[in-house]
Amino acid sequence: GVYVSDVLRRFPAQRAGFEPEQEIVSINGEEVADRLAVFAALGRANFIYGEPVEFVVIDTEGNEKTLTLRLTP
């Protein structure tokens, strides 16, 4: 997975539930092992701006959560 190092306050990622030290393990059902896999998964998602993208993350306590973020340009 890919670790979230920082989340800007009042930005969409924070509103979606992202927090520092979470680990992103999949995007739209596609497992991601590193930063390049995140970019590739987002590219293959064929998202339309404003459409939801689902991220599965593991928090610092080991709990898995699904977060939905609407990407904007």
Side-chain angles (χ1 to χ4, degrees), residues 30-59:
E30 182 177 339
E31 290 185 26
V32 292
D34 58 29
R35 185 173 54 134
L36 293 176
V38 168
F39 294 127
L42 288 172
R44 282 191 290 279
N46 293 324
F47 61 86
I48 298 171
Y49 286 115
E51 290 293 314
V53 176
E54 288 190 350
F55 295 79
V56 175
V57 300
I58 298 174
D59 66 20

Side-chain angles (χ1 to χ4, degrees), residues 10-23:
R10 297 184 297 275
F11 275 70
Q14 183 190 38
R15 289 192 294 271
F18 282 94
E19 298 174 1
E21 300 183 22
Q22 288 175 326
E23 179 184 6

